[in-house]
């Protein structure tokens, strides 16, 4: 009798394994990127945004008088808190901060020349990553990085701005929040 039980147990142990081999895993569809609507006119929400002038003063407070005056002039020129933002998205992105000259860039990171309204020239590039756009302006040894982050409601976006230069000990950073102007 023992001889019959052992081969039977072996057969029963193999059956579940063979049955599992035949089952197919459920097919999963590739995740699709949620379409972000960047297009539109946006207005600054001052109460949700940093006060740029006080942030500059706080950032420069430990510098000597001459350096503080020089860096304040540079940061005020580079970090203007524009009240409006216009974005036109398509194969390329056109971004206009306030009454500044629009930047036209492609989301692949390729740099293009851009001249600010005061005549200063920059190399501008842009990368798009889901609900985030990173605009990088490089010129005169300094780098200004604008990171636009769309909020989940699609009606507000945060703009984190960072100014870095080799002679500025620590990068200067501040945040502006914009609401869709519908």
């Amino acid at each position: 009798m023992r001889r019959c039980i052992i081969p039977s147990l072996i057969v029963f142990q193999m059956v579940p394994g063979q049955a599992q081999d035949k089952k197919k895993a459920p097919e999963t569809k590739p995740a699709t990127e949620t379409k972000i609507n960047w297009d539109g006119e946006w207005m600054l929400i001052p109460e949700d945004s940093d006060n740029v002038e006080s942030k500059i003063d706080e950032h420069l407070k430990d510098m000597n008088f001459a350096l503080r005056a020089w860096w304040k002039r540079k940061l005020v020129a580079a970090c203007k808190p524009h009240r409006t933002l216009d974005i036109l998205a398509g194969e390329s992105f056109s971004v206009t901060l306030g009454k500044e000259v629009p930047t036209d860039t492609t989301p692949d990171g390729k740099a293009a020349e851009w001249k600010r309204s005061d005549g200063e020239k920059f190399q501008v590039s842009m990368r798009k990553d889901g609900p985030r756009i990173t605009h990088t302006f490089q010129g005169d040894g300094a780098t200004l990085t604008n990171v636009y982050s769309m909020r989940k409601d699609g009606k507000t976006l945060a703009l984190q701005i960072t100014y870095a230069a080799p002679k500025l000990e620590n990068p200067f950073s501040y945040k502006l929040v914009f609401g869709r102007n519908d």
Side-chain angles (χ1 to χ4, degrees), residues 43-175:
M43 293 292 291
L44 181 69
I45 304 173
E47 60 272 13
D48 293 342
S49 302
D50 290 334
N51 180 310
V52 178
E53 189 168 338
S54 65
K55 291 282 280 190
I56 290 172
D57 290 339
E58 177 66 24
H59 189 77
L60 302 175
K61 72 180 181 186
D62 295 332
M63 290 185 175
N64 71 44
F65 177 76
L67 277 176
R68 187 172 52 240
W70 190 81
W71 277 112
K72 184 166 184 171
R73 192 184 81 233
K74 290 286 280 182
L75 290 174
V76 165
C79 304
K80 295 177 184 174
H82 299 285
R83 300 200 58 75
T84 60
L85 167 66
D86 292 320
I87 300 175
L88 181 59
E91 286 186 31
S92 66
F93 274 67
S94 177
V95 178
T96 307
L97 282 163
K99 295 183 180 183
E100 192 56 73
V101 176
T103 60
D104 294 314
T105 52
T106 56
D108 61 3
K110 184 177 177 186
E113 188 172 296
W114 177 72
K115 191 187 298 186
R116 193 167 60 194
S117 60
D118 66 1
E120 192 169 346
K121 293 181 182 179
F122 297 88
Q123 288 294 311
V124 181
S125 62
M126 195 254 292
R127 287 247 178 238
K128 184 174 160 274
D129 182 24
R132 180 174 292 141
I133 294 174
T134 303
H135 239 151
T136 304
F137 298 77
Q138 292 182 317
D140 195 25
T143 301
L144 184 73
T145 306
N146 294 344
V147 179
Y148 303 84
S149 299
M150 183 67 71
R151 302 264 172 93
K152 289 183 181 185
D153 65 6
K155 296 181 184 202
T156 56
L157 66 83
L159 173 54
Q160 185 70 40
I161 300 153
T162 303
Y163 179 92
K167 293 183 181 180
L168 183 62
E169 191 172 311
N170 297 311
F172 172 67
S173 187
Y174 63 99
K175 177 183 78 169

Side-chain angles (χ1 to χ4, degrees), residues 6-47:
I6 293 175
S8 298
L9 287 175
I10 293 172
V11 170
F12 285 124
Q13 286 178 348
M14 291 176 55
V15 171
Q18 290 173 343
Q20 286 179 355
D21 290 344
K22 292 180 182 178
K23 288 183 183 176
K24 289 185 180 179
E27 289 186 35
T28 56
K29 295 181 182 177
T32 58
E33 184 180 320
T34 305
K35 177 117 170 89
I36 306 292
N37 182 13
W38 293 99
D39 284 332
E41 297 177 2
W42 302 82
M43 293 292 291
L44 181 69
I45 304 173
E47 60 272 13

